[in-house]
Amino acid sequence: MQLVLHSLVALWLCFVSRVYAQDVPTQFYIHHRVVHPNLPVTPWSNFGSISIPHPSSISPSGTPVTFTLAETLLDDLSEFAESVNPALEESLYQVAVEKPKSSEGMWPASVMKGCLMSMSTSSSITIHLSSSGEPLGLDYFLSTIPSNGSCPSPSETSKSYSMHNTTVFVTTPRSPPLPELRAPPPLTPEGAPIPPVAEKTFLQKYWVYIVIVVAALLVSGPPEEPAANGTGPKAPN
């Protein structure tokens, strides 16, 4: 009896822990930096944090989440401009999501040209999660950039990295629809396919109706000849 009670308690605790885990959101930190191939690598700075709900409540097409900006964001952007001038050719702006228990080189990241950062006032981040809620990829988009992605002239490029109104989305993988398979053809006990039944001809389909029509015509007999009305010429006496 005690063994049964212990088993029931263990199952109940397991159920409660799973329900509680689904209600508690997971917090992730987003980082950013600027880099240039000919300059020392700039360390990552905190861009902000997000709270992601349980993967079961996330829409595959994307669910917006609350994004809290870091308090040091403006100071970091100023330091970025001092380290790498946005007007400098090949300057890059990087955004990454911190992956727990992984090195910085394994963080999902996205790259944007530094010269394009001052051409837009809003941006969006899409974080792709696995079915267990682990970050797999990150996409960073600016609301307004040239269709060809080219940088403006150096005289038109801002000397600083502007602050954007950023929206964050999270997505989960979606399974493709299963193929609709046709039913297998019937087989004989020997495993050979059963040939389809030959389609009936017109006579085979409608011979009953033809017989009925012919019988009706035979029963009715030939049409009666009209009687003489006496209006014809009389025979000579």
Side-chain angles (χ1 to χ4, degrees):
M1 184 64 181
Q2 292 182 351
L3 181 60
V4 175
L5 290 176
H6 285 298
S7 301
L8 293 175
V9 171
L11 291 174
W12 182 79
L13 291 176
C14 182
F15 173 76
V16 171
S17 61
R18 289 185 178 181
V19 173
Y20 178 77
Q22 292 183 0
D23 293 337
V24 176
T26 304
Q27 190 174 31
F28 287 103
Y29 293 95
I30 300 177
H31 304 273
H32 64 158
R33 67 180 178 182
V34 292
V35 295
H36 192 277
N38 299 330
L39 297 176
V41 178
T42 306
W44 291 104
S45 297
N46 185 17
F47 187 16
S49 60
I50 57 175
S51 295
I52 298 178
H54 191 269
S56 60
S57 61
I58 297 176
S59 170
S61 59
T63 299
V65 295
T66 302
F67 178 49
T68 304
L69 294 173
E71 297 179 357
T72 58
L73 179 58
L74 293 177
D75 295 336
D76 294 337
L77 293 175
S78 299
E79 293 181 4
F80 290 167
E82 295 178 0
S83 301
V84 181
N85 190 339
L88 189 62
E89 188 177 357
E90 297 183 353
S91 63
L92 299 175
Y93 177 78
Q94 295 181 335
V95 179
V97 56
E98 183 177 344
K99 196 172 183 179
K101 301 179 181 180
S102 298
S103 60
E104 295 181 358
M106 300 299 295
W107 290 357
S110 183
V111 181
M112 183 66 64
K113 290 182 178 180
C115 60
L116 301 177
M117 296 302 297
S118 60
M119 301 180 64
S120 179
T121 58
S122 60
S123 60
S124 64
I125 298 174
T126 301
I127 300 176
H128 304 277
L129 303 176
S130 66
S131 57
S132 60
E134 181 182 3
L136 297 178
L138 182 144
D139 298 324
Y140 181 74
F141 298 99
L142 294 176
S143 59
T144 305
I145 59 174
S147 58
N148 57 2
S150 60
C151 292
S153 61
S155 60
E156 298 176 351
T157 303
S158 175
K159 304 301 180 182
S160 62
Y161 296 92
S162 59
M163 183 175 176
H164 296 92
N165 182 15
T166 305
T167 305
V168 181
F169 301 88
V170 290
T171 64
T172 54
R174 178 174 53 184
S175 301
L178 297 177
E180 297 182 0
L181 302 178
R182 298 178 60 183
L187 302 177
T188 62
E190 291 76 16
I194 298 177
V197 179
E199 186 178 357
K200 294 182 179 181
T201 63
F202 180 81
L203 292 177
Q204 290 175 335
K205 291 181 179 179
Y206 305 104
W207 67 269
V208 175
Y209 304 101
I210 296 175
V211 170
I212 294 175
V213 172
V214 172
L217 293 175
L218 292 176
V219 171
S220 62
E224 297 182 358
E225 295 182 359
N229 53 9
T231 59
K234 295 182 179 181
N237 294 330

